[in-house]
Amino acid sequence: MKYISTRGKAPALSFGDVLLAGLANDGGLYVPETLPHYSKEEIASWADLSYQALAFKIMWPFVEGDIPADAFKKMIDEAYAGFNHSSIAPMVQVGNNEWILELFRGPTLAFKDFALQLLGRLMDYVLSERKEKLVILGATSGDTGSAAIEGCRHSEHLDIFILHPYQRVSEVQRRQMTTVIDDNVFNIAVKGNFDDCQGMVKSSFADQSFLNGAKLGAVNSINWARIMAQIVYYFSSALSVGAPHRKVSFSVPTGNFGDIFAGYLAKKMGLPIDQLVVATNKNDILHRVISENDMSRQSLNVTLSPSMDIMVSSNFERLLFDAHGRDGAEIDDLMARFNNGDVSLKDQAWSFVKDNFDSYKVDDEKTCDVIADVFAKTQYLLDPHTAIGLEAARHCWKDKSVPMITLATAHPVKFPEAVEKAGCDTPALPEHMKDLFEREESYAVLENSLSDVQAFVAAKL
Ligand SMILES: *Cc1c(COP(=O)(O)O)cnc(C)c1O
């Protein structure tokens, strides 16, 4: 499989190259040149496969040529071995035709484990084949960091450095990162805020001379391999409620548009999806562009669903590429227009977006109401991101005979503030994390200074 850039100017690359590159060198994002398409009969024949076997079926065409089949199967098995449910992505019914897809059964209790557990292993394999090493540098406001660390900790060819704002992440979030004690894992608490951390990562990518020849890599959500791994659970959940013999719909709590973009690809690959609902919190740029063609940037709101607190959704460019007939020059143009203050899509592109997605925005108060209401009626405790997904599902659902599946992106124990505001008790930590508060921690506390952070990284390599 070849991958092309959404801006049309970067060279087409193989899977292995795209995996290590992240962003294309023309500023675009890589997408597969073609997508496999499956008939109803073929999809139906997958109904009895294990999650791991289905994952292999779906992802194989994307990696073929770069990763041998046996090695890939082994990586998939290892990636999902640490999940605490035998079906990996179990479904829970919360109403008539209403389902929750639990994507928080991995080591860090958030859906990012699905992709990052595999990404670390894929990178390690490709790097070992090429006899190269890579330094992963990232910033986190809480959630992504731990999933990235868990995904890379066993990689022999990766060192990972994660910056978090000192004393500004919750204790559970900090401990999920800092209690991973491995030779290649480095946590740095920066005496600044998240933007300071992210600024340091950006500057470091722009000028890598401080690394004395080593190379930086990224595991952020624009990495194609992350999207690829997320396609699988759309198929597994749909099959479990009767697809492809009937249609299904999905509602997805959305931030960077990575997770829901995987759902859109599943549809293009032949899965009969009726509706794809984009659920946002008060940071609603995606809801505004879908419902009223308004892509203006507004200031960032801090909400009870922090993993969706973003101003601009980086993966949306991948959809815009399709919305503009996969014409890279058009996207290049569009980005220039956005930078000059234009904030809307041409009619044809907007129609494409509207035809493929519904959307809804949910504020903090409603989020808590939903958590409380669902708990009162079913004894099932939602995390705030999932509550937003469920509320959006209920609001946008057109045909109640079509099963509606809401993606549960995190375990409620990670977001005690919202759970308490909803009047519910914070649940206990799951079995594999019971001793989190007793575990040894390791992290450096550094001043809010780029040169201090870079000197620390260089010294550890
Ligand atoms: C990252 C994250 C999201 C948003 O996912 P995107 O792929 O960025 O849209 C939603 N919920 C939780 C809990 C997350 O960690």
Side-chain angles (χ1 to χ4, degrees):
M1 176 79 73
K2 281 280 173 202
Y3 292 84
I4 54 174
S5 164
T6 51
R7 307 243 176 129
K9 288 190 214 144
L13 296 182
S14 67
F15 176 78
D17 290 331
V18 165
L19 178 73
L20 302 183
L23 207 64
N25 67 12
D26 58 2
L29 280 68
Y30 277 108
V31 288
E33 194 166 34
T34 56
L35 276 183
H37 188 275
Y38 301 105
S39 66
K40 235 185 190 174
E41 292 67 38
E42 174 126 41
I43 294 172
S45 77
W46 301 341
D48 296 326
L49 296 181
S50 66
Y51 188 88
Q52 290 85 339
L54 181 67
F56 179 81
K57 279 260 181 233
I58 289 171
M59 293 191 279
W60 175 244
F62 297 112
V63 307
E64 191 176 2
D66 277 49
I67 315 270
D70 284 350
F72 191 46
K73 280 188 183 150
K74 185 159 169 270
M75 280 182 237
I76 292 172
D77 285 345
E78 286 172 4
Y80 300 113
F83 281 55
N84 72 1
H85 194 286
S86 58
S87 48
I88 310 299
M91 295 265 273
V92 174
Q93 188 161 18
V94 291
N96 195 8
N97 256 342
E98 220 179 20
W99 299 85
I100 298 284
L101 173 58
E102 292 189 339
L103 299 177
F104 52 74
R105 300 303 199 122
T108 74
L109 312 178
F111 87 97
K112 291 187 172 71
D113 289 328
F114 274 86
L116 285 162
Q117 282 294 313
L118 190 63
L119 186 68
R121 290 172 168 89
L122 282 165
M123 283 182 154
D124 208 34
Y125 182 87
V126 172
L127 288 165
S128 92
E129 287 292 295
R130 297 181 181 193
K131 304 194 170 46
E132 288 175 20
K133 288 195 117 191
L134 204 60
V135 180
I136 300 295
L137 179 65
T140 187
S141 54
D143 240 16
T144 316
S146 55
I149 288 170
E150 283 291 346
C152 295
R153 65 186 295 186
H154 301 297
S155 306
E156 284 169 23
H157 303 265
L158 291 172
D159 287 317
I160 179 164
F161 294 81
I162 295 291
L163 315 182
H164 71 264
Y166 182 55
Q167 293 183 337
R168 294 193 199 197
V169 301
S170 77
E171 187 167 6
V172 171
Q173 288 176 324
R174 187 189 74 237
R175 285 183 162 273
Q176 279 192 310
M177 298 189 280
T178 59
T179 58
V180 177
I181 315 279
D182 270 300
D183 290 348
N184 66 334
V185 173
F186 303 94
N187 279 286
I188 303 173
V190 174
K191 289 187 175 170
N193 60 29
F194 173 64
D195 286 334
D196 297 325
C197 296
Q198 206 165 35
M200 289 182 190
V201 171
K202 274 198 181 144
S203 309
S204 301
F205 269 86
D207 178 0
Q208 304 188 13
S209 53
F210 72 100
L211 289 169
N212 306 315
K215 269 196 300 190
L216 284 184
V219 294
N220 56 18
S221 77
I222 53 120
N223 196 303
W224 161 257
R226 284 185 60 176
I227 310 257
M228 170 184 87
Q230 292 165 2
I231 299 171
V232 179
Y233 47 69
Y234 286 90
F235 278 90
S236 69
S237 58
L239 281 162
S240 78
V241 293
H245 303 299
R246 67 193 299 199
K247 289 184 179 180
V248 294
S249 291
F250 290 94
S251 176
V252 186
T254 306
N256 261 326
F257 205 75
D259 203 2
I260 194 157
F261 185 70
Y264 162 81
L265 294 178
K267 186 168 101 174
K268 294 218 320 180
M269 289 163 70
L271 191 63
I273 296 181
D274 193 32
Q275 287 184 272
L276 283 168
V277 177
V278 169
T280 78
N281 63 24
K282 209 172 167 199
N283 299 292
D284 64 346
I285 185 165
L286 289 168
H287 171 56
R288 279 185 286 115
V289 67
I290 294 164
S291 59
E292 47 190 294
N293 197 8
D294 168 15
M295 270 183 76
S296 57
R297 291 179 192 201
Q298 296 181 354
S299 53
L300 191 72
N301 294 289
V302 175
T303 73
L304 291 174
S305 43
S307 300
M308 289 152 64
D309 287 350
I310 51 105
M311 279 196 306
V312 178
S313 303
S314 44
N315 276 298
F316 197 59
E317 180 167 333
R318 289 190 156 112
L319 182 75
L320 291 176
F321 185 58
D322 279 7
H324 291 83
R326 307 199 79 172
D327 181 344
E330 283 250 14
I331 298 300
D332 222 22
D333 244 28
L334 184 70
M335 293 304 152
R337 280 207 288 124
F338 283 156
N339 288 334
N340 287 327
D342 197 348
V343 293
S344 57
L345 302 172
K346 288 180 189 161
D347 280 348
Q348 209 183 338
W350 184 39
S351 295
F352 180 93
V353 172
K354 271 194 302 185
D355 288 348
N356 279 286
F357 296 92
D358 296 287
S359 69
Y360 194 59
K361 143 174 133 174
V362 180
D363 66 17
D364 277 352
E365 198 185 331
K366 188 72 197 176
T367 303
C368 294
D369 287 352
V370 174
I371 295 173
D373 183 57
V374 170
F375 189 75
K377 291 195 176 116
T378 67
Q379 298 292 296
Y380 189 79
L381 188 62
L382 300 168
D383 105 288
H385 305 81
T386 309
I388 288 172
L390 187 63
E391 178 63 13
R394 289 176 171 173
H395 188 266
C396 296
W397 199 357
K398 287 181 189 139
D399 180 352
K400 295 273 160 75
S401 73
V402 174
M404 174 61 86
I405 300 170
T406 295
L407 273 55
T409 49
H411 189 290
V413 76
K414 296 191 84 172
F415 300 98
E417 193 187 347
V419 171
E420 279 156 27
K421 282 201 169 135
C424 300
D425 294 332
T426 305
L429 286 165
E431 203 51 50
H432 72 283
M433 282 175 56
K434 279 244 152 35
D435 61 343
L436 186 69
F437 289 95
E438 283 91 61
R439 289 184 200 162
E440 178 195 346
E441 286 188 89
S442 163
Y443 63 106
V445 180
L446 299 181
E447 292 303 321
N448 187 6
S449 144
L450 178 63
S451 55
D452 281 18
V453 169
Q454 292 187 335
F456 178 89
V457 173
K460 293 291 178 194
L461 290 177

